[in-house]
Amino acid sequence: MLLGCILYGMTGLFLAGIHSLPITSIIFYRLFFGLIFIFTFLLVTNRLEELKPGKRKFRLFLQGIFITVNMFFYFLCVKETCFSIAILLEYTAPIYVMLASPFVLKEKVGKESVAALVLAIAGVYFVIRPEGGFGALEFSGSRLIGIVSGLFAGMLLAVIIMNVRILKRDYSEFAIAFWGTAISCILMLPFAFETSFSLLAPNLLTLIVFGIVSVGIGGVLTTIGFANLQSQTGSLLALIEPVAGVFFDLVFLGVALSAGTLAGCVLVLAAAVIVSYSGSSKPAMNFIGFADSTEIVEKY
């Protein structure tokens, strides 16, 4: 789980190496090459039978839709506000998970989880806080649309995390990662042709590595984590991603690290330690009856 989040944190490095491509094309090719990697791995290891759809086919299909819609609203938030606000709102997901998981998954909310949540949210705030503070930004008009989009993206992320826990009853982690990525890739297919080959060719190698590292390896590892940990624990550990992003930006891109950012990283890491070594990391195996329904619990 932690390794998967760290790999996701390398997104900034890959984006810095991709030039003149619209974000929609980047998303598609990232998904496409990640999907090819997962399929190749399953083929080589003779595990393709895991991809055979079983129960909860509709829920599995919805997982791909959730991922696609989450990406859309996240990048809409980035466009209308800024990257810092988008990250902060995206990672409000643990709040929704902690509120919903006792009803959806019958997971108990322990004191350690609440303490870790407070530390983690505070840490993310310090990590992505823009210079001058959020108060210096205007939240009206298009920015208000961006904020609402970011909040919705966070809700969708929470639904994705909890949905993985439910799908784990009938599918392997590789199958969940494969079908979620495949459906998202199909939905993003129209954007594959909005970029000419002359622009795509110089970025092709970076896109291939981006897809393999982020979606192929990182996606599978985080899916394994979400499937086998309590949803509360998994959502909190996912906050390692922005911290890893800060580290990679510092080491490889030379981005300056402020005292506030450093303090935020420490808080997030402290939250990760708390949930890793507390009883909250033991997955609950009982699901309530309506979890078997094809209706998705609001909000993911």
Side-chain angles (χ1 to χ4, degrees):
M1 175 73 191
L2 291 176
L3 179 57
C5 293
I6 291 172
L7 293 178
Y8 267 126
M10 297 178 68
T11 296
L13 296 182
F14 289 112
L15 291 178
I18 298 174
H19 307 286
S20 304
L21 288 185
I23 194 65
T24 48
S25 293
I26 294 174
I27 292 173
F28 170 79
Y29 287 107
R30 169 179 172 267
L31 291 169
F32 177 74
F33 291 120
L35 181 66
I36 294 299
F37 176 83
I38 297 173
F39 181 82
T40 302
F41 176 82
L42 293 174
L43 178 64
V44 171
T45 55
N46 295 317
R47 299 176 61 178
L48 285 179
E49 68 276 1
E50 294 182 18
L51 299 182
K52 183 178 180 180
K55 298 179 180 179
R56 299 183 175 87
K57 296 183 185 69
F58 184 64
R59 185 178 287 274
L60 188 64
F61 173 73
L62 287 176
Q63 183 75 355
I65 295 179
F66 292 155
I67 293 172
T68 306
V69 177
N70 169 264
M71 288 189 296
F72 171 80
F73 281 102
Y74 172 73
F75 284 108
L76 178 60
C77 181
V78 172
K79 178 182 177 181
E80 299 296 343
T81 58
C82 63
F83 182 72
S84 296
I85 291 177
I87 285 287
L88 179 64
L89 297 179
E90 171 91 346
Y91 285 102
T92 56
I95 298 175
Y96 309 126
V97 170
M98 196 164 291
L99 292 173
S101 61
F103 305 99
V104 180
L105 304 174
K106 277 194 171 179
E107 294 180 351
K108 295 182 178 179
V109 179
K111 295 179 180 178
E112 298 88 351
S113 295
V114 175
L117 176 64
V118 173
L119 286 176
I121 295 299
V124 171
Y125 174 85
F126 285 117
V127 166
I128 54 84
R129 183 176 182 270
E131 192 172 333
F134 289 106
L137 301 174
E138 295 182 4
F139 299 116
S140 60
S142 62
R143 284 195 174 272
L144 182 60
I145 294 175
I147 293 171
V148 174
S149 298
L151 288 172
F152 189 62
M155 293 177 184
L156 287 173
L157 180 58
V159 172
I160 288 173
I161 293 170
M162 291 186 290
N163 200 42
V164 168
R165 290 280 291 135
I166 296 173
L167 289 171
K168 179 60 173 63
R169 300 183 69 186
D170 301 291
Y171 297 94
S172 70
E173 293 88 345
F174 281 96
I176 297 172
F178 176 86
W179 285 115
T181 303
I183 294 167
S184 297
C185 194
I186 292 172
L187 293 174
M188 295 295 295
L189 187 60
F191 300 105
F193 307 103
E194 69 176 9
T195 302
S196 65
F197 184 76
S198 60
L199 291 178
L200 180 63
N203 297 294
L204 198 56
L205 180 59
T206 304
L207 288 169
I208 292 173
V209 178
F210 189 17
I212 291 174
V213 171
S214 178
V215 177
I217 302 175
V220 169
L221 290 177
T222 52
T223 299
I224 291 173
F226 289 143
N228 294 283
L229 294 170
Q230 277 194 325
S231 57
Q232 302 163 31
T233 303
S235 63
L236 287 169
L237 290 178
L239 295 173
I240 291 295
E241 180 186 341
V243 174
V246 169
F247 172 79
F248 288 123
D249 287 349
L250 171 68
V251 174
F252 296 102
L253 301 180
V255 178
L257 183 65
S258 67
T261 299
L262 180 60
C265 291
V266 172
L267 289 174
V268 174
L269 292 175
V273 170
I274 290 175
V275 297
S276 296
Y277 289 95
S278 70
S280 64
S281 62
K282 297 178 181 179
M285 299 306 297
N286 294 324
F287 295 80
I288 60 178
F290 70 83
D292 295 333
S293 166
T294 56
E295 295 180 6
I296 296 300
V297 179
E298 304 262 342
K299 245 342 183 185
Y300 144 65

